[in-house]
Amino acid sequence: MKKTLKILLVIIIIGLIGAAAYGGYIYYTLNKGVNSSFSGLKNDKSELRGDEEEVDIDSSFNVLILGIDENKKRAEKEKIDTDDFRTDTMILATFDREGDIIRMINIPRDTLSYMSGEQAFDKINHAHALGGIDGAVDSVENLLNVPVDFYIRVNFDSVVDIVNTLGGVEFDVPFDMEEPNQDDSGKIKVKKGHRKLTGEEALAVVRSRRVDSDFGRGERQMEMVQAIMNRAKSTGAITKVDDLVDVVSQNVTHNFKMKDLTTLAKYFASNEVNFDTTMILGEDFIGDNGAYYYKPDEEHLFVLSRTLREILGLEPPDVNGFSNIRLAYWLNPTVLIGKDIIDEYKLTGDDIPQFTEEGYKSQYGDGFDIPEKTLNNFEENEGDTDVQSEDGQDYTQPTEEQNLNEQENYNQNYNQNEQENYNQNSNQDEDWNNSLNPGSNPRDEYFSPE
């Protein structure tokens, strides 16, 4: 079941209320709710922040919004912990404090991304199931080479509760929809047109992809985030404080401190904030294991990172900071990559792509305002997971033996002539050659599934 990262709004809502009711019972209640749903990351600060001290909430920062389909009944039956569920939705939101803009990047759930804990590439929505929140954060940082400062994780039930608590939300429904209701006991039908949605109707809108695709669904999810945030600012949300706190404490996990939310509240209360959204572009990819993946476009990743880093006040991106670009030759899903390659291999010389050069004019613009001509070159991604399938049921983590067997088969399929030519012309020592197993162009060549 697809959930929208409206969770962000909940946190923002709480901040807004906190600012309006500074001191007194309401603030005490909010503080209690925020603290009860707080869960820190393994690292207090992202390594990509360099030598900076704590992230200053008064400056620009990133928030990773995660939507998981945590079904309480199945969790109890199968003894599945919250951290064991896959993410249905991932949005990286950059709060541009100087420009008063929230820039949101929708990350398709089938996106191939490197997972440090697994030492392999896999679908990014598996990162949370394999490594919890820290695993999801790690995978997004590997993908976009930008720090994740904060996260918000929301489960399925909160979508309905948040919208209902706010008295509904205004939304332009693009087409007629029919989706399972909250407890899968029936169907919810939503008619096309501008209408005020209930909680279950809002859920149906953001999870549906029967008519369009993951592209369309991703756009609707980000539009719903905006719609709920606008509703939260315009409604008398302060009268709903107890209900909102209850929703947050039961359905949301985050690493915001109350003082950070209070600062954000004052900012949102006194500034008109705009939104700029995009989705990571890429292409369909069938792994050697026969599974469907979404391979993100390298140039788009680089351009997005450059834009976000400038907003965050960080140095321009280094191409070797992108796992999908640096390790492109070993982008074979779920196959273990040698530690020597991960630790030592770097792109140099002619292997560095042209789009990283200073002054290069990218076809993707700044990564957000992409020319229509460029967008037309990308087909919509349908994805591989049926919306009716239970979360996580179509994935089994490979054993170490399976990984080794896949790696052995992979190595045996190298073109022997190319390997010999490479060895003859290389100045690297024999051990280095054997560990890398590169083709004639390590950056551009991908192992094509037979």
Side-chain angles (χ1 to χ4, degrees), residues 151-170:
Y151 79 89
I152 304 170
R153 181 179 66 186
V154 57
N155 71 26
F156 163 72
D157 291 332
S158 66
V159 177
V160 176
D161 295 339
I162 292 169
V163 173
N164 286 339
T165 299
L166 291 173
V169 62
E170 301 285 336

Side-chain angles (χ1 to χ4, degrees), residues 120-121 325-333 335-338 341 345 347 407 410-411 414 435-439 442-443 445-447:
F121 285 91
I325 302 177
R326 181 173 70 92
L327 302 175
Y329 187 57
W330 296 274
L331 199 151
N332 191 20
V335 174
L336 194 71
I337 302 175
I341 296 174
Y345 182 72
L347 296 176
Q407 184 66 62
Y410 174 79
N411 291 335
Y414 278 112
S435 66
L436 288 183
N437 283 330
R443 196 200 72 77
E445 290 188 13
Y446 293 80
F447 180 77

Side-chain angles (χ1 to χ4, degrees), residues 5 18 21 49 55 98 106 134 143 178 184 192 203 215 256 277 316 322 360 364 407-408:
L5 312 106
R49 279 287 183 179
V55 176
E98 290 188 10
N106 179 40
D134 287 299
L143 182 71
E178 182 177 346
D184 290 332
K192 176 182 178 180
L203 177 65
F215 271 81
F256 280 97
T277 64
F322 298 84
Y360 177 84
Y364 300 107
Q407 184 66 62
E408 183 179 354

